[in-house]
């Protein structure tokens, strides 16, 4: 399995776990964009602006005449500047207001008024609720003509009331944090609720009754706990037992015992200390060492993708679809800035951490020689667009107002109609973001640190996000068997130079109106993009809509200046670096073997008849499919979220268990009865669900071991146990794509509007990456990746094994399947 290095003080290199969609095989070892320097050559786009419109681009001009300076002021330009300024101050005011409201949640300004009025009413009734504190506060207020005795009493009462109110806020927050630390509800049988859980639910409803903003619960969320070392080691040994023979397992037990007794206590103390003074003891190290210090390409190895509706394409006009979806995405950004998006809630009352949403927009990963960094801006008013090897800058606001979909369609159509060719070196420029990180960092410092190259690169890196108007056509087609495979590969890597892989996400709109996205992984995990994606698809189809001809609704504003073509001066040396990065990326992309297929024989509705969760059913089926595919079991990764804790990201569920392997073996043993197989399956499903719940509640294995390893490298401590643990490859890496997080439309009413989900590249050279989405009651879509270069893997073969495994498991419980699937 190929490696990439991360630097932590002092140590040797080793291998480790990987996040689905992230190529992390090695554990850590010891504004406003300035104008172009010169105006673009005209005309850059068809439909050039009128002369009057061109003059409006400048607020004022002056010339020197014999009589003195001659000023020419554009009223329209000044008006636009004024409106833009008003819009900017409105955003600042909204942010300040939301910061206050989230800071005092679950209280509100009206509750403060109630406390003040109650205190005033008590004084009117000659009752002192402060027990003399108001009089004491009044003594410290200065005497003056402006502050009479009565006025100082009123001010003192207000100060006392505010103190009482703030104390109540802190008490409520602390109470909520304690309540949110309770996770007993997660381990109770389905449909049953204990008395303690019922009391807990009632208290949660009382404390979170007011409608929350996106970040209202952030400071009330508990911290991720550090598990006891003994428990982590016990669970680890249990997870690897089915993968090792007796001799190997005995050696691992000995290493674990030595580590637990000699090395672990010291490392654990440092880790507990870190958990006290940081918000989350895992997330900062995870982001830094698993993502940002990776020196291998982001494309395929780390970035992941998301797909469009499976069966529906709202408009086949490329510019129109781009106009609607970009406007919908910007509406989401506005809601995000205003905190109007409610936080995700489990059971409708348990909030999940929202901090990952902060860097969704205006964010770019900046390459460095040793480590990358994330550039995040509070706001960005333009979009970076790529089409046919050319880069453009498109302003998203006019007069302080967001451009309407029809205006955006006009701008994108101008780009599509532009006949100008790419500048030398421009077409494959983005291949720098697809190759190794060090050459990109060196080229960026050498060739893009000044002049027009810096201005143009800033326009891309400081954009809200990146848009590719792709010349290909993709999507589901009943006439093409490999249509979804090529669609997936296009979104995962494209041509290796037509996506900006460093941006938080690249929106891809194809020539036939189909779309997708490629997302960078370091800033957040897939459910965050999934939330945006569901909002965008639903808004595009059910709120914005299209005319009968497929265009965006409304009339375009032809006064808009056309998109600005970015200018480059790329020397031969830089072009050679671009070609070198392209060759690296192309070799990586050509090696990806992808299979994306729809399993429609049955869905979650019928799976529930097996009396288990759909996720457990699929994970056990994957174990059966993998055993049939390779004839062995392997270490299996399933991503689980830890967003019940503040700044939580993910944890690993080790899906290959002793219970699941026992069931898989029973399926190949003719001597086993059907009843015995059912019993073994139920044991495996219960074990999987228990492990998933443990991971969600902070009692996972891998993040704890990862952090212990990081501490050991900082302290210069060698641990054979940790070195062995973190060198084990994940040959089966899996993840479930969330579905219907927002419920903006009824999927039962619109069954054709199912999402296809998304996927990621293979994590191990000789392994599989599997992503799946349980869409509706009767459809499951699988995304399977592997490498052509591995003689052990074949994505289509594994897909056939998955389909058959699902059918065989369902047959045990008399789950009906379509005859076509048999």
């Amino acid at each position: 399995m190929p490696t990439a290095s991360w630097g932590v003080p002092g140590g040797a290199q080793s291998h480790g776990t990987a996040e689905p969609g992230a190529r992390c095989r090695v554990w850590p070892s010891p504004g406003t964009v300035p104008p172009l320097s010169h105006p673009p050559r005209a005309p850059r786009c068809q439909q050039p602006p009128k002369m009057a419109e061109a003059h409006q681009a400048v607020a004022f001009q002056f010339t020197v005449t014999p009589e003195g300076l001659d000023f020419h002021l554009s009223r329209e330009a000044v008006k636009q500047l004024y409106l833009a300024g008003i819009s900017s101050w409105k955003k600042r005011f909204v942010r300040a207001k939301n910061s206050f409201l989230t800071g005092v949640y679950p209280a509100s300004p009206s509750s403060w008024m109630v406390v003040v009025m109650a205190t005033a009413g008590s004084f009117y009734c000659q009752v002192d609720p402060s027990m003399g504190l108001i009089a004491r506060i009044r003594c410290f207020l200065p005497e003056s003509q402006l502050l009479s005795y009565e006025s100082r009493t009123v001010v003192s009462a207000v100060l006392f009331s505010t103190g009482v109110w703030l104390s109540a806020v802190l008490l409520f927050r602390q109470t909520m944090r304690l309540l949110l630390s309770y996770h007993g509800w997660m381990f109770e049988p389905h449909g049953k609720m204990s008395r303690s859980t019922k009391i807990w639910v009632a208290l949660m409803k009382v404390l979170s009754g007011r409608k929350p903003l996106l970040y209202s619960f952030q400071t009330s969320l508990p911290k991720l706990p550090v598990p006891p070392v003994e428990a982590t080691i016990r669970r680890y040994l249990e997870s690897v037992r089915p993968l090792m023979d007796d001799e190997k397992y005995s050696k691992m037990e000995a290493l674990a015992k030595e580590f637990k007794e000699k090395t672990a206590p010291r490392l654990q103390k440092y880790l507990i200390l870190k958990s006290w003074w940081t918000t989350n003891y895992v997330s900062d190290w995870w982001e830094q060492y698993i993502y940002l210090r990776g020196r291998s390409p982001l494309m395929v190895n780390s970035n992941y993708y998301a797909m469009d509706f499976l069966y529906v394409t709202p408009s086949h006009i490329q510019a129109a679809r781009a106009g609607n979806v970009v406007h919908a995405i910007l509406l989401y950004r506005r809601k995000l800035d205003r905190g109007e998006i409610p936080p995700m809630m489990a059971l409708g009352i348990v909030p999940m951490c929202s901090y990952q949403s902060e860097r969704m927009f205006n964010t770019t990963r900046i390459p460095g020689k040793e480590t990358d960094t994330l550039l995040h801006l509070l706001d960005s008013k333009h979009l970076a667009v790529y089409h046919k090897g050319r880069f453009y800058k498109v302003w998203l606001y006019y007069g302080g107002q967001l451009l309407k979909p029809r205006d955006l369609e006009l701008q994108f159509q101008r780009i599509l109609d532009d006949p100008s060719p790419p500048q030398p070196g421009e077409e494959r420029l983005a291949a720098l973001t697809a190759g190794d990180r060090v050459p990109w960092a060196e080229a960026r410092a050498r060739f893009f640190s000044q002049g027009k190259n810096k201005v143009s690169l800033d326009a891309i890196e400081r954009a809200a996000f990146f848009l590719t108007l792709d010349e290909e056509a993709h999507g589901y087609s009943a006439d093409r068997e490999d249509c979804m495979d090529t669609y997936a590969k296009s979104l995962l890597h494209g041509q290796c130079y037509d996506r900006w892989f460093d941006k938080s996400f690249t929106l891809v709109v194809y020539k036939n109106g189909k779309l997708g996205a490629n997302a960078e992984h370091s800033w957040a995990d897939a459910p965050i993009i999934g939330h945006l994606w569901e909002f965008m698809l639903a808004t595009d189809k059910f709120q914005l809509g299209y005319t009968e001809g497929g265009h965006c609704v409304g009339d375009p504003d032809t006064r808009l200046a056309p998109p600005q073509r970015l200018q480059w001066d790329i020397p031969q040396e830089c072009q050679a670096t671009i070609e070198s990065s392209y060759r690296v990326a192309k070799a990586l992309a050509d090696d990806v073997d992808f299979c994306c297929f729809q399993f429609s024989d049955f869905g979650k509705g019928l799976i529930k008849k097996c009396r288990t969760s759909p996720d457990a059913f699929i994970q056990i089926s994957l174990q059966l499919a993998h055993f049939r595919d390779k004839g062995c079991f392997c270490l299996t990764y399933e991503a689980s979220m830890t967003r019940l804790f503040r700044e939580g990201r993910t944890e690993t569920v080790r899906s290959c268990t002793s219970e699941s392997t026992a069931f898989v073996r029973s399926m190949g043993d003719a001597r086993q009865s059907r009843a015995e197989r059912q019993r073994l399956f139920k044991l495996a499903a219960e074990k999987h669900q228990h492990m998933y719940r443990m991971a969600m509640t902070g009692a996972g294995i891998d993040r704890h071991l990862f952090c212990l390893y990081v501490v050991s490298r900082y302290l210069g401590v060698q641990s054979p146990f940790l070195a062995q643990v973190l060198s084990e490859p994940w040959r089966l890496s899996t993840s479930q794509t969330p579905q219907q997080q927002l419920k903006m439309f009824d999927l039962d009413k619109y069954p054709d509007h199912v999402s296809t989900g998304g996927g990621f590249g293979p994590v191990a050279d000789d392994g599989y990456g599997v992503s799946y989405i349980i869409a509706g009651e009767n459809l499951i879509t699988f995304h399977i990746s592997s490498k052509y270069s591995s003689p052990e893997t074949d994505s289509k073969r594994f897909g056939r094994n998955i389909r058959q495994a699902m059918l065989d498991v369902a047959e045990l419980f008399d789950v009906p399947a379509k005859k076509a699937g048999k």
Side-chain angles (χ1 to χ4, degrees):
M1 166 173 165
T3 62
S5 301
W6 285 264
V8 168
Q13 182 173 299
S14 66
H15 301 261
T17 67
E19 185 87 335
R23 184 73 162 188
C24 30
R25 287 159 303 285
V26 181
W27 293 91
S29 53
T32 298
V33 182
L36 292 176
S37 55
H38 58 83
R41 292 173 293 177
R44 280 297 170 193
C45 300
Q46 292 184 356
Q47 299 176 327
K50 298 177 183 178
M51 187 60 67
E53 295 163 11
H55 282 299
Q56 291 172 6
V58 182
F60 68 91
Q61 297 176 332
F62 68 89
T63 55
V64 179
T65 66
E67 290 78 17
L69 295 178
D70 183 18
F71 284 91
H72 297 279
L73 188 66
S74 170
R75 293 184 180 179
E76 180 63 23
V78 172
K79 176 184 176 183
Q80 298 305 318
L81 292 174
Y82 169 76
L83 293 175
I86 293 296
S87 176
S88 177
W89 278 105
K90 282 183 179 179
K91 288 182 179 180
R92 294 182 185 182
F93 174 77
V94 169
R95 288 194 185 112
K97 182 191 72 173
N98 287 345
S99 295
F100 173 76
L101 293 177
T102 56
V104 301
Y105 188 87
S108 64
S110 58
S111 65
W112 173 79
M113 288 294 299
V114 170
V115 174
V116 172
M117 295 300 292
T119 304
S122 299
F123 256 86
Y124 180 78
C125 297
Q126 296 183 350
V127 176
D128 184 5
S130 70
M131 300 179 68
L133 284 177
I134 293 178
R136 285 178 174 269
I137 296 172
R138 184 176 56 213
C139 294
F140 289 97
L141 296 178
E143 296 184 12
S144 66
Q145 294 180 347
L146 297 176
L147 279 178
S148 63
Y149 179 85
E150 291 77 11
S151 299
R152 283 187 287 126
T153 301
V154 171
V155 172
S156 302
V158 170
L159 291 176
F160 170 77
S161 303
T162 303
V164 171
W165 180 71
L166 290 175
S167 300
V169 169
L170 294 175
L171 178 62
F172 281 138
R173 279 192 175 183
Q174 188 61 34
T175 303
M176 185 169 288
R177 186 178 291 112
L178 291 173
L179 290 172
L180 292 175
S181 299
Y182 171 75
H183 299 122
W185 57 273
M186 194 176 294
F187 295 90
E188 293 181 349
H190 182 69
K192 297 181 179 179
M193 187 180 293
S194 65
R195 181 180 298 176
S196 58
T197 299
K198 289 179 180 179
I199 296 173
W200 171 79
V201 168
L203 290 173
M204 283 298 303
K205 288 182 177 179
V206 169
L207 288 179
S208 57
R210 191 167 68 87
K211 185 178 179 180
L213 297 174
L214 180 60
Y215 302 113
S216 291
F217 292 104
Q218 286 301 99
T219 55
S220 299
L221 291 172
K223 288 187 175 183
L224 182 68
V226 181
V229 172
E230 295 80 3
T232 298
I233 293 177
R234 184 184 69 253
R235 287 194 290 268
Y236 167 76
L237 291 174
E238 183 182 343
S239 72
V240 298
R241 185 64 187 96
L243 305 174
M244 295 180 176
D245 56 31
D246 292 341
E247 182 180 355
K248 288 184 178 179
Y249 184 73
S250 295
K251 291 181 180 179
M252 182 55 73
E253 270 190 320
L255 289 175
K257 182 179 180 181
E258 180 185 15
F259 173 73
K260 181 175 67 173
E261 294 175 352
K262 296 181 179 180
T263 310
R266 182 186 176 196
L267 304 181
Q268 180 79 346
K269 288 177 182 177
Y270 280 97
L271 202 56
I272 291 174
L273 180 63
K274 189 199 177 198
S275 72
W276 289 348
W277 57 265
T278 57
T279 308
N280 188 296
Y281 81 94
V282 175
S283 294
D284 56 341
W285 282 350
W286 189 254
E287 179 179 302
Q288 182 69 23
Y289 297 122
I290 297 303
Y291 292 116
L292 296 180
R293 293 211 178 191
R295 302 295 83 199
S296 59
L298 303 182
M299 186 197 76
V300 175
N301 294 333
S302 178
N303 287 23
Y304 57 94
Y305 67 85
M307 285 183 170
D308 198 359
F309 289 125
L310 178 58
Y311 301 117
V312 174
T313 305
S315 174
H316 293 281
I317 299 176
Q318 185 177 19
R321 189 81 199 280
N324 254 17
V325 297
V326 167
H327 184 80
I329 289 172
L330 294 173
L331 290 178
Y332 186 90
R333 185 178 72 162
R334 184 165 66 185
K335 286 178 173 290
L336 200 64
D337 289 342
R338 295 176 177 178
E340 294 174 353
I341 300 172
M344 292 297 299
M345 308 282 278
L347 296 182
I349 57 172
V350 184
M352 298 183 188
C353 181
S354 303
Y355 101 101
Q356 293 183 55
S357 301
E358 294 176 2
R359 298 180 293 184
M360 182 178 295
F361 296 99
N362 329 318
T363 299
T364 304
R365 179 166 170 167
I366 306 299
K369 291 185 179 181
E370 294 183 358
T371 182
D372 294 350
T373 55
L374 288 175
L375 170 68
H376 173 65
L377 307 176
L378 285 177
D379 196 15
S380 177
K381 298 185 178 181
H382 72 276
L383 188 68
V385 182
Y386 178 92
H387 176 248
K388 278 190 174 181
R390 295 106 22 112
F391 291 88
Y392 298 84
K393 177 180 178 180
V394 177
W395 291 103
L396 300 171
Y397 293 85
Y398 183 74
Q401 298 296 315
L402 184 63
L403 290 185
K404 297 178 180 178
R406 191 65 181 89
D407 295 331
L408 289 167
E409 179 186 348
L410 170 66
Q411 298 294 63
F412 298 143
Q413 191 61 51
R414 285 171 169 176
I415 292 175
L416 295 172
D417 294 339
D418 183 4
S420 61
Q423 300 163 76
E426 181 183 18
E427 182 177 14
R428 294 183 175 176
L429 174 62
L432 290 170
T433 69
D436 292 321
R437 304 303 290 171
V438 173
W440 172 210
E442 293 173 344
R444 187 178 185 278
R446 184 178 178 188
F447 303 111
F448 297 90
S449 59
Q450 58 185 357
K452 63 175 68 174
N453 286 352
K454 184 180 188 304
V455 172
S456 295
L457 182 62
D458 281 348
I460 295 174
E461 293 181 339
R462 294 173 175 269
F465 56 94
F466 194 84
L467 168 65
T468 294
L469 298 173
D470 204 300
E471 282 296 288
E472 295 182 349
H474 284 288
Y476 174 76
S477 172
D479 301 329
R480 284 185 53 198
E481 185 179 352
D482 66 339
C483 61
M484 297 301 292
D485 305 344
T486 56
Y487 184 17
K489 280 178 67 67
S490 174
L491 289 173
L492 185 65
H493 53 68
Q495 300 295 326
C496 304
Y497 56 78
D498 52 357
R499 286 95 172 94
W500 200 269
F501 294 100
D502 287 355
K503 287 299 291 183
S504 56
F505 67 93
T506 295
L507 176 67
V508 182
V509 182
Y510 293 104
K511 200 165 188 175
N512 61 343
K514 215 67 182 173
L515 56 84
N518 182 287
E520 201 274 317
H521 210 325
S522 64
W523 64 274
D525 301 308
I528 307 303
I529 279 289
H531 199 278
L532 162 69
W533 205 245
E534 288 185 11
F535 178 91
M536 180 268 291
L537 291 177
T539 303
D540 169 37
K541 173 63 176 162
F542 296 101
Q543 295 185 15
L544 299 178
Y546 298 87
T547 64
E548 292 184 2
H551 292 280
C552 297
V553 176
D555 297 317
D557 186 349
T558 55
R559 297 175 302 168
L560 294 172
Q564 178 183 345
R565 177 79 183 275
L566 300 184
Q567 300 297 305
W568 307 95
D569 182 11
I570 303 175
Q572 289 296 326
E573 291 176 273
C574 184
Q575 292 183 36
T577 303
I578 292 172
E579 288 303 309
S580 176
S581 293
Y582 171 70
R583 287 193 296 271
V584 170
K586 188 69 164 57
L588 181 59
D590 289 344
D591 196 24
V592 175
D593 178 16
F594 226 101
C595 175
C596 179
F597 71 94
Q598 287 74 47
F599 181 87
S600 56
D601 298 87
F602 55 84
K604 68 177 181 181
L606 294 179
I607 288 177
K608 291 176 181 177
K609 290 187 176 181
C610 301
R611 295 184 179 179
T612 186
S613 75
D615 183 68
F617 183 98
I618 294 172
Q619 285 292 327
I620 296 170
S621 299
L622 289 175
Q623 291 300 315
L624 177 58
H626 187 274
F627 187 78
R628 290 172 173 175
D629 186 83
K630 287 191 173 184
C632 65
F633 298 104
C634 70
L635 197 62
T636 304
Y637 184 114
E638 182 187 6
S640 167
M641 67 90 177
T642 55
R643 290 170 59 200
L644 295 175
F645 303 96
R646 191 172 180 184
E647 295 188 11
R649 290 197 61 160
T650 59
E651 178 57 275
T652 306
V653 179
R654 294 178 167 234
S655 302
C656 184
T657 63
S658 297
E659 291 80 0
S660 65
T661 56
F663 166 75
V664 169
R665 287 194 173 96
S666 74
M667 292 294 287
D669 187 352
R671 296 170 298 177
Q672 296 288 347
S673 66
R674 181 178 181 181
E676 178 64 11
R677 289 172 178 171
Q678 288 178 346
R679 185 185 72 83
L680 292 173
F681 175 85
K682 290 179 179 178
L683 288 175
E686 289 171 3
K687 178 66 174 181
H688 180 269
Q689 289 176 265
H690 177 75
M691 292 179 62
Y692 204 99
R693 291 161 179 160
M694 293 289 285
M696 288 182 64
T697 54
I701 301 168
D702 291 276
R703 298 303 179 269
H704 187 201
L705 293 177
F706 160 73
C707 289
L708 289 172
Y709 179 77
V710 175
V711 174
S712 73
R713 304 320 300 158
Y714 274 117
L715 297 178
V717 175
Q718 298 295 329
S719 170
F721 170 74
L722 289 176
Q724 177 67 26
V725 169
L726 303 179
S727 65
E728 297 166 345
W730 301 92
R731 291 192 171 90
L732 181 56
S733 186
T734 70
S735 180
Q736 180 183 173
T737 304
Q739 171 76 351
Q740 287 286 292
Q741 296 183 86
L742 297 179
K743 296 180 175 62
M744 291 181 65
F745 66 95
D746 187 353
L747 202 54
D748 294 331
K749 187 177 180 181
Y750 301 95
D752 289 341
H753 290 71
V754 292
S755 173
T756 323
F760 51 89
V763 172
D765 285 348
D766 56 351
Y768 292 108
V770 180
S771 175
Y772 52 93
I773 179 171
I774 305 171
E777 294 292 321
N778 304 301
L779 179 67
I780 303 170
T781 299
F782 288 91
H783 303 253
I784 306 167
S785 63
S786 62
K787 290 197 171 184
Y788 286 117
S789 57
S790 172
E792 300 179 29
T793 58
D794 184 318
S795 294
K796 286 185 171 56
R797 183 186 71 205
F798 192 45
R800 291 192 295 270
N801 283 323
I802 291 175
R803 183 184 294 275
Q804 191 58 51
M806 296 274 288
L807 292 171
D808 290 347
V809 174
E811 190 176 357
L812 285 177
F813 296 90
D814 295 323
V815 173
K818 296 179 183 178
K819 292 182 180 180
K822 297 184 178 181

